[in-house]
Amino acid sequence: MNPSLKDQTKSEHSYEETLSPSDTFLRRHVGSDHEKIQEMLSVVGYDSLETLIDDAVPKNIRLKKELDLPNPLGEFALQKELKKIVSKNKIFRSYLGLGYSACITPPVIQRNILENPGWYTAYTPYQAEIAQGRMEALINFQTMITDLTGMEIANASLLDEGTAAAEAMTMLYSLKEESQGKSFFVSQSVHPQTLDVIRTRALPLGIHVVVGSFKKMTPSADFFGAIVQYPSSDGTIYDFSDFIQSLHAVGAKAIVAADLLSLTILKPPGEMGADVVVGSTQRFGLPLGFGGPHAGFFATREDFKRSMPGRLIGVSRDSQGKPGYRLSLQTREQHIRRDKATSNICTAQVLLAVLSSMYAVYHGPKGLKQIALRVHRMTTLLVTGLEKLGYKIVSKPYFDTIRVELSKVTSSEIIHYAEEREINLRSVSQHVISISLDETTTLEDVSDLLLIFNENKPLHFSLEELAKKEEYAIPEILERKSSYLSHAVFNSYHTETEMLRYIRRLEAKDLSLTTSMIALGSCTMKLNASTEMYPVTWPELANIHPFVPNNQTEGYRILFGQLEKWLCEITGFAEVSLQPNAGSQGEYAGLLAIRNYHQSRNESHRNICLIPISAHGTNPASAVMAGFQVVVVACDENGNIDVEDLKKKAIEHKHDLGALMVTYPSTHGVFEESIQDICQIIHENGGQVYMDGANMNAQVGLTRPGDIGADVCHLNLHKTFCIPHGGGGPGVGPIGVAEHLAPFLPGHSIIENGSNNSQGAVSAAPWGSASIIVISWAYIHMLGFDGLRHATKLAILNANYIAKRLVGAYPVLYKGNRDLVAHECILDIRGFKKGSGVEVEDIAKRLMDYGFHSPTMSFPVPGTLMVEPTESESKEELDRFIDAMLSIAEEIADIEKGSLDKTDNPLKNAPHTAEMVISDQWNHKYSRERAAYPLPWLRLRKFWPSVGRVDNVYGDRNLVCSCIPVESYT
Ligand SMILES: *Cc1c(COP(=O)(O)O)cnc(C)c1O
């Protein structure tokens, strides 16, 4: 007989416990329970988690108090609480334009990509053979952009339209002739936030921004480039052909910021002679999300491909001679070129680029054109009605955006009538209103708009009457005559069944967290919980234009306020800015804050930035963007910063020392004991300390950058705070700053974002990628202080467990106190080359045959693997990974012994596709079984790489960056 319920309760739970939430989150987020933790501890040589942490994390920097964070909520309670907050947001119909338009996310795309962990938990496609699906989607994206813009080559997304424009400016600046001046012309009808981001970017580089009317501009040798908006921010469409020609005549180049949808019916900028075309793909199915995340795009000429920022997907061939996609040219651009890099972009907007490319795949060229024509027809209807009511339209010819001149009424009155109908219109002045229509606009909406302009009096005409008369309002010379999107992929999947299968087919080619752990050092691939992800597509968060009046975003402001407060508490800083939309952008924003701080104290000469040799490549690239000159600091043989070298250089440059950029724990995966001394040396010599917080997962709840001595630090919310990597973006890279730097946080030219608005913007939207910030909010709220701290401890334990179990087979490169590592460890592969010919890439590819994604390859040390398991992986999964690594070590030993051939072995031929293994021809010197099923559990959960090893050299020599003919696959 079983004991009674009452007796069971006594032995298993306290009576109170039975009343606490049954869906607490901590145990869902971390991989191991008490028992497993004890098992791992005993392998590492400890009997408690606390003693391990005491030895791993230097005593002098340990947190002295509990953090003031919210009490943890269960998953259900969290959703209820969040619903309460976000329902304070008001969802109006917004016709505000300025580069953001409401649109319809096709549900088949929303459900199967945006809300599907098979897509959103993937990593940047560095491991080509297990990332063919998203790279196909990205090559579709590149093709879509080149076709619509009429350009020759496009990259696989940038962070937003504003930063894409700024990147275009800096690219042209780097390409300019010696004889050309440093002036850059910005048309006054460029979106204001784009101008804002351009100004911020131009300043530290000494670029002189000139704003004016393009019609009145006289190109001269002073200018290296210019940017115009197409259609203009006010809605008018101009043919820029003559203007661009006049720029070319003086050796200057032209950037056109373009609206993608309009290009389906308007003459593309490429046909006007543009050198670069930038913009946003937001209205291709991406929710407004109060500003982001959205994919920026960047297209240019073949000639400039080697200077192009961001990532570029190319087609190469695999070991079987078949096509295989890979990241081309700039694959690891910053890591190699560092302070000479063309741009600091690392995380981009892959998930959003995939989504918008699928929007084009689903609608096809005809469908897109129909959407564009419909939006345009709605606009002409509105214009005809407004003119009938006696208004004058001052932005002709137009596509979807118009300016209405008022005479009898004022803007305030119109805005008031609009608000009564829950509609947002933009007041340009007391006499001018701007209206921008979009894919969601209906006849009823047009009718509502006309009623507003008729001051709520009934109309004396019907829409039907208007509709009969009106034609398209685009002059023939501006019409698009060339075809686009003729590739089969854009003409095959227009039913939901076909689309669903296409999406699923691509998804199945990619290894994501839904398959196995992705132990990428420095990238923190932890759980992205469903409860954290759910709200992202809630209309209260998704359907809000970034420039709506403040009183419509109370819910958002509560979330920002709470998250900023918690992040301040976690980092030990006074203020946080959520604006930067990737870690790299946080670095840039943080360094700008330092630069502007020095300037405010009349110390603008402080422009030296010390950066350890071990730093991530974005660090030197960002420093240069912010106007600093990089001086490299050495590391000692233990991986620590060489303090003597640092001291020497700090003193040598003490009159112009601006900053130190330091990652903590170091990129070598150790808690440096000397970190506080390092900060002190910098401060004593007049510099500021910038901490790269990519490794914050080893700090949360144990120590704080602010306490250690840093002045500013970025966080990667897409690493430490659970925003998924999305296959290479989106990201959020907020910065925390000490009190004295708070006045220098990024502002915004349109929306008061809580910072001192005297500073320029670093992103197009006031809070960057606002809609995904809720993911980190939910994570912190469900764990609370104890939970976060426990997660950090487990991250450290898991890394040490792996290091301990693998150290016999693979040397662990750097260790700290008592041979412990922090939250990641570096395995040295270099020693195998001599005896077996095996290199780090062979192990990375062979891991695919075992169903794993390789750890970070060759960063920060060439020829090594950096393993970061995170707290979310279970002991079972860690053991599986360890078994795979040990099995590979045996394979290497077999090569060394001669029982496997030195060139024809499972490592050199990895990965093995199903096609290779099943083929009637198998001429290798090892068995098929050994190739595909080297360990028993693979029979239960085999993941097949979809192509053989992709040839990198061939890919860069024969660069192809758009869709290839379908026949090449057969
Ligand atoms: C990831 C990372 C960065 C860059 O962050 P992004 O969000 O990819 O721009 C910078 N430094 C380190 C150490 C990193 O790991």
Side-chain angles (χ1 to χ4, degrees):
M1 263 235 322
N2 284 330
S4 72
L5 262 183
K6 200 168 148 195
D7 289 343
Q8 280 179 45
T9 306
K10 245 184 226 150
S11 65
E12 290 168 18
H13 309 277
S14 73
Y15 187 65
E16 285 75 32
E17 262 175 5
T18 59
L19 278 180
S20 62
S22 56
D23 63 346
T24 51
F25 182 63
L26 179 61
R27 68 209 162 93
R28 307 296 188 190
H29 177 76
V30 298
S32 292
D33 61 13
H34 181 73
E35 200 176 313
K36 299 287 176 198
I37 290 173
Q38 291 306 319
E39 283 173 37
M40 288 194 283
L41 279 168
S42 69
V43 172
V44 181
Y46 284 84
D47 50 18
S48 83
L49 204 45
E50 279 58 48
T51 48
L52 167 72
I53 298 302
D54 286 344
D55 279 353
V57 186
K59 266 207 180 46
N60 51 351
I61 59 166
R62 285 291 294 276
L63 209 59
K64 307 276 181 320
K65 57 161 197 167
E66 297 217 339
L67 299 181
D68 181 15
L69 293 171
N71 285 327
L73 287 183
E75 297 186 51
F76 183 68
L78 179 105
Q79 292 216 26
K80 271 210 320 206
E81 165 77 10
L82 183 60
K83 201 77 197 184
K84 230 170 33 197
I85 296 175
V86 302
S87 56
K88 294 183 197 290
N89 286 340
K90 296 188 189 136
I91 311 173
F92 280 25
R93 285 172 283 176
S94 287
Y95 302 113
L96 299 167
L98 293 176
Y100 299 91
S101 306
C103 61
I104 300 166
T105 312
V108 63
I109 295 175
Q110 176 168 333
R111 169 157 290 207
N112 296 291
I113 300 180
L114 181 53
E115 298 173 345
N116 177 356
W119 284 92
Y120 66 66
T121 67
Y123 180 65
T124 305
Y126 284 137
Q127 294 298 331
E129 297 80 3
I130 48 176
Q132 292 290 302
R134 59 192 182 280
M135 286 203 279
E136 177 166 332
L138 290 173
I139 215 142
N140 294 346
F141 178 88
Q142 291 174 185
T143 306
M144 165 181 97
I145 299 298
T146 47
D147 274 18
L148 288 174
T149 56
M151 300 300 285
E152 289 165 348
I153 192 166
N155 73 11
S157 83
L158 287 180
L159 294 164
D160 57 32
E161 179 164 341
T163 51
E167 291 285 344
M169 171 183 73
T170 48
M171 184 183 89
L172 296 189
Y173 183 61
S174 72
L175 290 169
K176 87 178 181 71
E177 304 285 336
E178 201 60 57
S179 60
Q180 271 174 301
K182 297 180 87 170
S183 292
F184 182 71
F185 178 81
V186 182
S187 155
Q188 63 199 19
S189 59
V190 159
H191 295 319
Q193 73 277 13
T194 301
L195 172 60
D196 196 357
V197 176
I198 285 177
R199 277 195 206 279
T200 311
R201 191 74 71 89
L203 202 62
L205 301 178
I207 296 172
H208 177 50
V209 173
V210 178
V211 182
S213 156
F214 83 92
K215 289 185 199 156
K216 296 189 192 135
M217 187 232 182
T218 326
S220 73
D222 289 347
F223 291 91
F224 65 89
I227 183 169
V228 290
Q229 189 91 40
Y230 182 67
S232 302
S233 199
D234 68 13
T236 321
I237 314 167
Y238 298 102
D239 188 335
F240 294 115
S241 305
D242 293 344
F243 176 62
I244 292 174
Q245 213 169 22
S246 69
L247 287 170
H248 287 168
V250 296
K253 295 188 177 70
I255 304 164
V256 178
D259 174 275
L260 210 52
L261 186 63
S262 72
L263 300 186
T264 59
I265 57 174
L266 296 183
K267 181 171 164 181
E271 291 172 21
M272 299 178 186
D275 300 286
V276 187
V277 184
V278 296
S280 164
T281 64
Q282 182 270 315
R283 69 192 307 181
F284 275 34
L286 309 178
L288 288 165
F290 196 32
H294 306 136
F297 66 80
F298 188 108
T300 186
R301 302 174 180 282
E302 282 278 336
D303 293 350
F304 308 145
K305 67 189 176 201
R306 282 172 204 280
S307 310
M308 206 165 54
R311 294 188 170 122
L312 180 68
I313 308 296
V315 188
S316 183
R317 58 180 188 196
D318 78 349
S319 57
Q320 311 301 298
K322 300 220 163 132
Y325 301 111
R326 61 181 279 279
L327 279 165
S328 309
L329 303 181
Q330 318 70 340
T331 303
R332 308 202 51 108
E333 212 251 350
Q334 300 110 18
H335 292 298
I336 295 156
R337 301 192 55 202
R338 304 183 72 88
D339 54 329
K340 310 222 165 34
T342 49
S343 143
N344 71 340
I345 303 278
C346 181
T347 291
Q349 299 282 17
V350 167
L351 189 67
L352 298 311
V354 167
L355 288 164
S356 58
S357 79
M358 290 294 184
Y359 178 92
V361 166
Y362 197 37
H363 289 297
K366 285 196 197 117
L368 290 177
K369 187 169 177 180
Q370 193 192 338
I371 293 167
L373 286 175
R374 185 173 170 280
V375 177
H376 180 60
R377 268 317 292 283
M378 290 288 175
T379 317
T380 58
L381 262 184
L382 177 65
V383 165
T384 318
L386 287 170
E387 285 175 343
K388 239 178 151 59
L389 293 176
Y391 289 97
K392 190 169 166 215
I393 307 304
V394 291
S395 54
K396 285 185 174 177
Y398 55 84
F399 165 61
D400 67 352
T401 300
I402 52 168
R403 281 202 174 178
V404 190
E405 201 173 81
L406 315 176
S407 47
K408 299 168 291 181
V409 287
T410 63
S411 300
S412 326
E413 286 169 291
I414 295 289
I415 298 287
H416 174 74
Y417 291 129
E419 272 173 2
E420 281 180 350
R421 288 178 191 268
E422 307 204 326
I423 285 178
N424 290 316
L425 300 177
R426 194 157 71 86
S427 157
V428 179
S429 72
Q430 241 350 307
H431 311 288
V432 181
I433 293 260
S434 165
I435 310 173
S436 235
L437 299 189
D438 58 60
E439 187 189 3
T440 68
T441 310
T442 61
L443 289 172
E444 291 81 73
D445 296 329
V446 173
S447 170
D448 281 351
L449 287 168
L450 290 172
L451 285 168
I452 289 167
F453 279 85
N454 206 29
E455 299 172 62
N456 272 343
K457 293 182 296 250
L459 301 170
H460 59 279
F461 52 82
S462 73
L463 284 188
E464 288 73 32
E465 266 169 62
L466 299 182
K468 268 184 228 132
K469 287 186 217 127
E470 204 37 55
E471 289 289 315
Y472 299 123
I474 294 165
E476 189 160 346
I477 159 169
L478 284 164
E479 269 179 35
R480 178 164 195 148
K481 303 280 171 21
S482 51
S483 62
Y484 48 87
L485 306 183
S486 54
H487 190 272
V489 76
F490 298 106
N491 296 281
S492 304
Y493 310 117
H494 300 165
T495 67
E496 181 162 335
T497 302
E498 287 293 342
M499 187 66 192
L500 175 67
R501 288 178 190 151
Y502 180 60
I503 292 172
R504 288 283 170 178
R505 208 150 67 229
L506 295 194
E507 181 194 341
K509 295 181 181 189
D510 289 8
L511 189 143
S512 69
L513 285 177
T514 63
T515 304
S516 53
M517 70 187 279
I518 302 181
L520 280 164
S522 214
C523 300
T524 318
M525 301 288 288
K526 56 165 71 172
L527 171 74
N528 315 116
S530 303
T531 296
E532 294 153 7
M533 294 301 295
Y534 253 112
V536 171
T537 46
W538 285 356
E540 297 93 324
L541 292 172
N543 298 352
I544 297 187
H545 190 286
F547 304 145
V548 300
N550 289 351
N551 61 13
Q552 292 173 25
T553 54
E554 198 190 331
Y556 257 120
R557 279 153 200 273
I558 292 172
L559 292 180
F560 297 152
Q562 292 185 344
L563 182 61
E564 284 169 8
K565 184 168 154 274
W566 301 341
L567 294 179
C568 281
E569 190 67 15
I570 288 168
T571 54
F573 285 122
E575 270 187 51
V576 160
S577 165
L578 297 169
Q579 192 181 96
N581 44 20
S584 63
Q585 306 303 293
E587 294 170 17
Y588 167 61
L591 289 168
L592 282 182
I594 291 177
R595 179 190 141 88
N596 293 336
Y597 167 76
H598 287 315
Q599 272 186 352
S600 74
R601 295 158 43 97
N602 295 325
E603 297 209 315
S604 50
H605 53 278
R606 292 200 169 271
N607 71 340
I608 297 292
C609 187
L610 301 182
I611 301 182
I613 184 79
S614 57
H616 192 268
T618 52
N619 288 190
S622 300
V624 169
M625 273 170 60
F628 287 92
Q629 198 186 320
V630 176
V631 172
V632 177
V633 178
C635 286
D636 65 19
E637 70 274 17
N638 299 318
N640 297 317
I641 291 179
D642 181 338
V643 180
E644 279 316 305
D645 189 50
L646 174 96
K647 202 170 196 165
K648 194 176 117 232
K649 285 173 176 155
I651 292 171
E652 185 186 326
H653 293 286
K654 72 175 177 205
H655 296 298
D656 47 7
L657 182 63
L660 164 77
M661 293 187 89
V662 59
T663 307
Y664 200 75
S666 74
T667 53
H668 288 153
V670 286
F671 285 103
E672 279 162 331
E673 303 272 341
S674 55
I675 185 68
Q676 285 177 316
D677 300 337
I678 289 171
C679 293
Q680 204 183 337
I681 292 169
I682 297 304
H683 286 145
E684 280 169 3
N685 291 286
Q688 294 278 296
V689 177
Y690 182 96
M691 190 172 277
D692 178 329
N695 289 343
M696 195 67 198
N697 212 42
Q699 287 194 45
V700 177
L702 298 179
T703 180
R704 310 194 294 179
D707 298 350
I708 291 170
D711 301 287
V712 44
C713 169
H714 83 256
L715 303 172
N716 300 66
L717 297 190
H718 47 298
K719 293 177 180 173
T720 316
F721 295 95
C722 298
I723 291 176
H725 283 250
V732 178
I735 51 173
V737 291
E739 194 92 51
H740 63 282
L741 292 180
F744 307 101
L745 288 173
H748 197 270
S749 56
I750 302 179
I751 296 287
E752 163 66 56
N753 72 346
S755 309
N756 175 347
N757 272 45
S758 62
Q759 300 296 316
V762 297
S763 304
W767 285 273
S769 296
S771 66
I772 53 173
I773 278 166
V774 68
I775 300 167
S776 302
W777 179 92
Y779 172 61
I780 295 173
H781 209 337
M782 289 194 292
L783 283 194
F785 173 59
D786 287 333
L788 288 170
R789 185 175 52 179
H790 185 67
T792 309
K793 289 178 180 175
L794 260 192
I796 294 172
L797 170 63
N798 286 352
N800 278 287
Y801 176 70
I802 289 186
K804 196 78 175 188
R805 284 208 50 204
L806 285 180
V807 71
Y810 301 90
V812 172
L813 205 48
Y814 300 115
K815 286 177 263 185
N817 182 36
R818 296 195 188 229
D819 277 355
L820 293 171
V821 296
H823 65 310
E824 58 194 3
C825 61
I826 299 179
L827 307 177
D828 195 351
I829 309 300
R830 294 169 296 188
F832 298 121
K833 175 93 189 273
K834 195 149 172 269
S836 65
V838 168
E839 294 180 67
V840 64
E841 185 170 40
D842 301 319
I843 297 182
K845 302 305 174 193
R846 183 60 175 153
L847 271 171
M848 295 173 186
D849 288 332
Y850 288 84
F852 285 105
H853 190 290
S854 168
T856 300
M857 230 174 70
S858 294
F859 170 77
V861 185
T864 64
L865 290 173
M866 181 156 61
V867 187
E868 180 184 359
T870 85
E871 70 276 13
S872 296
E873 296 302 339
S874 64
K875 176 171 178 295
E876 289 76 6
E877 184 69 357
L878 301 183
D879 285 336
R880 256 180 11 96
F881 174 76
I882 291 163
D883 287 349
M885 288 298 291
L886 293 176
S887 173
I888 290 174
E890 277 170 37
E891 291 171 355
I892 298 172
D894 282 349
I895 301 171
E896 283 168 354
K897 282 189 308 217
S899 53
L900 276 173
D901 188 82
K902 207 152 180 182
T903 49
D904 185 11
N905 61 56
L907 276 127
K908 286 289 172 194
N909 295 332
H912 299 81
T913 62
E915 199 179 333
M916 285 161 75
V917 176
I918 295 165
S919 164
D920 286 344
Q921 266 130 46
W922 179 264
N923 302 320
H924 299 298
K925 296 178 178 154
Y926 52 96
S927 72
R928 292 176 154 113
E929 210 166 349
R930 186 154 190 188
Y933 295 107
L935 283 175
W937 44 254
L938 281 161
R939 287 171 200 281
L940 293 174
R941 45 188 300 181
K942 178 72 185 169
F943 180 88
W944 290 101
S946 61
V947 296
R949 198 179 296 193
V950 176
D951 189 334
N952 288 325
V953 176
Y954 181 87
D956 274 352
R957 287 221 183 108
N958 305 275
L959 195 63
V960 176
C961 300
S962 51
C963 296
I964 49 171
V966 184
E967 309 82 71
S968 20
Y969 289 96
T970 47

